[in-house]
Amino acid sequence: MYPLVPTREQREKQERVEEVRSSASVSASTLMMCREHAEAHGKNREPLLDGICSTYDHKLFTDAQAVACEDESFELTQHYQLLDAHEYKIKQIVIGRFELDTWYSSPYPEEYARLCKLYLCEFCLKYMKTPTIARRHSTKCVWRYPPGNEIYRSGTLSVFEVDGKKSKVFCQNLCLLAKLFLDHKTLYYDVEPFLFYVMTEADSQGCHIVGYFSKEKHSILNYNVSCILTMPQYMRQGYGKLLIDFSYLLSKTENKTGSPERPLSDLGLISYRSYWKDLLMEYLHKYSDSEIYIKDLSQETSVHANDLISTLQSLGMLKYWKGKHVILRNAQIVSDYIQQKRKKSQGSKSMRKIDPFHLRWVPGTYANS
């Protein structure tokens, strides 16, 4: 490869600049005059460059300064548009390569809540005011996955268990982010009594958060999920059911039956009802005995009996007869449903399932937390 040779015009311009710069010699009297000028205008933030550099360099500096001021003022006008003083709402967030419209307000600190757009690091979830700050942070951030133990990995899919007591700031940022898309969420800063199970998809850049669910370390009512969210950019891809399936896998490992904490969000309720329906249809399709007991079904699936009963009622498959509940199993309806589901699942990424073989988790680790 040959070295680049400057053109004639470039050489002439370089000679003129060097000539102008060499003529701007700084004398002792000039420096003394600059000091006196600085003392007389000590509060002036404008740099005092007269007599210190050439006119050419001074103009280069002032032009660059003007461009920087224009860029900064544009960012401020774009991101500091104030809403009503009594109701701040962040309208958009930028996280990774995605720009998302928010659904609800979230109690970020006031100086951030007043912004129309917020920038988040997709790995540590730190929130920032401007794209410039976000770009600088991305070059320095060393995080590439959530700050917890990886308890499940299958292909590019992983689940990390994050203790709210050990990684308080990350979990608080995760809750603030979730509130932008959940109406009923009330937990923001008191994260120490909770565990957070963060699901990620990995690529060459790192592990990208696709969703999470939280649960109490010691739940009196045996809730296996306190809050659950699939990030909007990953919705309708099957991740919601994967999160639900994983929560019940943990309950099964603990030899417990679990249920999500109420109230559920609208999307959460739809996802759970769909999950319970698939679970029941699969069970009825495989089960050949004439009698089916709700208690046995609950123990086998780790789904609370009340959730199974409500699902059967919504499907019209439960009847109260002679003092007991009877499940009405229509073999044709069940068979048609299973065939339709399997046909839909062929080659579909949204029909993936959690494989218990890849779980690396021991219950009771946080008994004293």
Side-chain angles (χ1 to χ4, degrees), residues 246-269:
F246 190 81
S247 69
Y248 282 113
L249 175 60
L250 297 185
S251 297
K252 190 177 293 186
T253 307
E254 293 177 300
N255 294 319
K256 296 179 180 179
T257 58
S259 180
E261 185 176 339
R262 269 66 170 186
L264 288 167
S265 65
D266 295 337
L267 291 176
L269 183 60

Side-chain angles (χ1 to χ4, degrees), residues 201-215:
E201 279 282 2
D203 60 14
S204 59
Q205 303 297 320
C207 296
H208 306 276
I209 298 176
V210 301
Y212 87 100
F213 69 88
S214 62
K215 61 182 277 189

